[in-house]
Amino acid sequence: MKVVSGETMQRMDRRAIDEFGIPGLVLMENAGRGCADAIREMFGRDGCIPVLVVAGKGNNGGDGYVIARLLAGEGWPVHTVVLARKDEIGGDARENLDRLDPSTVSYLPAGGTLSSLTARLDAAALVVDALLGTGLKNEVQGAYAEAIRHIAASARPVVSVDIPSGIDAATGKVLGVAVTASLTVTFALAKYGHVLYPGALHCGRLRVVNIGIPESVAREADGILYVDAAEAAAVVKRRDPCSHKGSFGHSLVIAGSVGKTGAAAMAANSAVRSGAGLVSLAVPASLNAILELKTTEAMTIPLADGGVGFLGDESLVPLRDAIRGRDAIALGPGLSWQPATAALVRHLLADIMVPLVLDADGLNAISEQTELLKGARPDTVVLTPHPGEMARLAGTTTAAVEADRIGVARDFAAQFGVYLILKGARSVIAAPDGRIALNGSGNPGMASGGMGDVLTGVVTALLGQGYEPFDACILGAFVHGHAADLVAADKGETGMSALDVQERLPYAFNSLIRLKGEQ
Ligand SMILES: NC(=O)C1=CN([C@@H]2O[C@H](COP(=O)(O)OP(=O)(O)OC[C@H]3O[C@@H](n4cnc5c(N)ncnc54)[C@H](O)[C@@H]3O)[C@@H](O)[C@H]2O)[C@H](O)CC1
Ligand SMILES: [K+]
């Protein structure tokens, strides 16, 4: 699904009102109705329950007044607390406030005491959070912050209108303090803040409701792709019954050094588990016997290393032979930081004319010479950095990368003409042409060594099967995380290993193929 920034949503609002003549009041009525429908469905099975609407002074509060009116009209006991004076409420919100029975509304102007709010919360079975929406501008303080803390202390289930109050719609960050909802009902399109962490954790279940904004406005809005199972299923290809090994490419993995044979094996074996027709694994000759034991379906290519256990320029000529005729190449897992190996990586880049996944030590080899990425190569380079590797590549700090994951990934991809999977909770996928996607699968169990080697094998195998690079990245990232979700469903997140994920890759692909069949 497409997700947009809060500003884009407000522009869509304006277009609907100014260009299509849809009154803001109608949008607000539809927004409130969408929330009331979701509340009825999720909390009304056992009849009407006492509801407390906690409203701010803007249109988020306006949606809250519509919800209050609609539920009260169906017999729900509803009370509304407004964190402002009545004369501070204007426009469409005021029009809806005036339609409420005054005896069901209390005003708690900023600077006043919130003691009555606690009593109201105790009397409620459900809280509607209509304090702040996309109009949130800065850190939540004062009465709003206190109200949010009271809501949390009440331990009542909360339905957040549009976005949990205190969550920045553009970044998903908590601005001071934020509501944690059981359900969030948003309008027209989800926002970045609904899918980026920690915002995603504050939303509870997310429901996107249509409020009558024209389809063309939504379609034309700038946004990024949030990759859920439906999006991944739309990308995955079924296998042609007449296909053969050659139909699925021959992937080459160049990897491994003393102490890091596991990285090489996991990258190669994950490529096998991701549908590659053939996989070859080029490793230092002194480690070949070990890799022959750690792999079965993949073929190994021992490269003379003088017994040192890592690759150097003496492997350049045999590697040029090995890359010939391959359909996709992975360069980096477990290669080591040895200067000789880094020099080999830099020399080899100019010879690779097929899609390349550059990972781990392969990334470190070029982090001082990123101009090498702009080589004359006609083909595709996919980088799969974690935040620390991204920081080295971009010449910044890990904190700066984490503060603007989308922006850093987008800018680097465009500047160097590469595809990027910036790993982490909600991996960011960026294409040179500006396309951005957020991966919707995965869990904290993936925070363990080797997971990146598995991802490298998955993406390499997909590139070798002919997937368009952006599709290979979004499908690879999703399948990688989805396999981990399947493992977590079986045995939890603690103690999950990269091998567990590697083994579940076919099951993850299979679940998408099945979903595709239903689409
Ligand atoms: N198409 C749609 O998505 C529709 C959205 N609607 C709702 O409108 C709100 C956005 O309303 P807006 O008036 O712009 O702002 P908010 O209600 O979110 O904020 C209220 C008010 O709060 C002030 N404010 C900003 N930051 C803070 C802060 N840190 N502490 C206290 N107060 C703050 C600021 O002055 C704001 O004006 C959207 O979320 C939807 O719920 C429409 O109703 C229907 C169409
Ligand atoms: K809200």
Side-chain angles (χ1 to χ4, degrees):
M1 69 180 176
K2 180 194 279 192
V3 292
V4 294
S5 66
E7 292 72 39
T8 299
M9 191 72 247
Q10 293 186 334
R11 280 197 293 277
M12 287 168 63
D13 241 12
R14 287 298 349 137
R15 282 198 62 196
I17 295 167
D18 300 343
E19 293 175 34
F20 292 82
I22 303 170
L25 202 58
V26 169
L27 294 176
M28 185 172 284
E29 187 71 18
N30 294 340
R33 183 173 307 287
C35 293
D37 293 346
I39 289 169
R40 194 181 309 109
E41 188 183 313
M42 191 164 177
F43 296 98
R45 289 194 192 92
D46 302 327
C48 307
I49 56 175
V51 173
L52 179 67
V53 176
V54 184
K57 65 182 178 184
N59 285 337
N60 197 242
D63 296 346
Y65 308 140
V66 175
I67 296 165
R69 170 170 39 87
L70 295 174
L71 292 179
E74 295 168 16
W76 295 57
V78 182
H79 194 86
T80 299
V81 168
V82 184
L83 258 65
R85 295 190 317 274
K86 186 167 186 175
D87 61 25
E88 289 182 284
I89 313 296
D92 296 340
R94 179 60 185 265
E95 195 156 336
N96 278 294
L97 177 60
D98 291 342
R99 293 180 65 181
L100 292 179
D101 172 350
S103 68
T104 66
V105 184
S106 311
Y107 296 90
L108 300 179
T113 161
L114 293 187
S115 56
S116 65
L117 179 61
T118 310
R120 294 280 179 198
L121 285 166
D122 290 345
L126 176 68
V127 177
V128 173
D129 156 32
L131 273 170
L132 291 163
T134 52
L136 173 67
K137 289 286 176 285
N138 38 38
E139 185 134 328
V140 182
Q141 295 170 338
Y144 278 64
E146 202 183 329
I148 290 172
R149 291 191 188 96
H150 279 307
I151 291 170
S154 76
R156 293 298 188 271
V158 179
V159 175
S160 279
V161 177
D162 203 15
I163 195 164
S165 296
I167 295 295
D168 182 342
T171 64
K173 291 198 172 10
V174 173
L175 296 191
V177 63
V179 165
T180 297
S182 309
L183 168 69
T184 295
V185 184
T186 191
F187 314 124
L189 293 169
K191 282 71 182 183
Y192 294 177
H194 292 123
V195 295
L196 289 173
Y197 290 112
L201 298 175
H202 283 259
C203 287
R205 288 172 58 181
L206 178 66
R207 175 166 306 187
V208 183
V209 298
N210 180 344
I211 58 171
I213 289 182
E215 173 54 35
S216 61
V217 173
R219 192 172 55 250
E220 291 156 16
D222 290 336
I224 61 180
L225 177 66
Y226 177 71
V227 184
D228 53 19
E231 294 291 350
V235 170
V236 75
K237 298 173 191 167
R238 285 196 193 81
R239 297 204 143 200
D240 180 341
C242 308
S243 48
H244 52 81
K245 275 198 302 293
S247 313
F248 302 103
H250 187 156
S251 292
L252 170 66
V253 176
I254 305 168
S257 62
V258 172
K260 296 184 177 179
T261 55
M266 284 187 284
N269 291 330
S270 295
V272 172
R273 290 289 191 195
S274 299
L278 287 170
V279 177
S280 292
L281 171 59
V283 294
S286 57
L287 306 175
N288 185 62
I290 298 169
L291 271 306
E292 296 235 24
L293 287 172
K294 283 176 174 280
T295 61
T296 301
E297 298 85 356
M299 298 166 280
T300 64
I301 303 172
L303 297 169
D305 65 354
V308 297
F310 55 82
L311 297 179
D313 264 346
E314 72 278 10
S315 305
L316 190 54
V317 170
L319 270 175
R320 283 181 177 141
D321 288 339
I323 64 180
R324 200 167 294 120
R326 297 292 79 88
D327 300 293
I329 293 171
L331 177 57
L335 272 182
S336 91
W337 280 61
Q338 291 290 343
T341 306
L344 170 68
V345 168
R346 292 191 289 268
H347 294 149
L348 203 54
L349 280 181
D351 296 292
I352 295 175
M353 294 299 170
V354 294
L356 166 68
V357 178
L358 203 49
D359 180 36
D361 296 326
L363 293 173
N364 298 324
I366 58 136
S367 53
E368 308 293 323
Q369 299 177 41
T370 47
E371 67 282 357
L372 289 171
L373 291 170
K374 294 184 179 178
R377 233 182 3 278
D379 226 290
T380 305
V381 179
V382 175
L383 309 184
T384 57
H386 59 54
E389 291 160 338
M390 185 75 249
R392 279 193 291 278
L393 284 164
T396 184
T397 64
T398 303
V401 169
E402 288 302 90
D404 183 14
R405 290 166 52 84
I406 293 174
V408 169
R410 180 190 51 230
D411 296 349
F412 191 92
Q415 183 183 352
F416 292 96
V418 296
Y419 293 82
L420 256 176
I421 302 177
L422 174 54
K423 295 181 285 197
R426 287 281 180 270
S427 292
V428 180
I429 294 102
D433 63 5
R435 285 176 292 171
I436 291 285
L438 294 174
N439 180 43
S441 66
N443 64 72
M446 300 171 78
S448 78
M451 294 289 178
D453 304 314
V454 173
L455 175 64
T456 293
V458 177
V459 177
T460 305
L462 295 175
L463 289 168
Q465 294 169 61
Y467 278 88
E468 187 268 332
F470 194 62
D471 284 351
C473 291
I474 64 176
L475 179 60
F478 186 86
V479 163
H480 182 239
H482 189 43
D485 292 338
L486 295 177
V487 175
D490 253 358
K491 56 183 186 181
E493 298 173 356
T494 303
M496 180 187 298
S497 75
L499 275 187
D500 290 333
V501 174
Q502 175 186 294
E503 291 316 303
R504 281 303 170 106
L505 291 170
Y507 299 89
F509 279 105
N510 191 37
S511 69
L512 294 180
I513 292 288
R514 285 193 174 143
L515 183 58
K516 192 181 190 73
E518 296 158 15
Q519 282 180 335

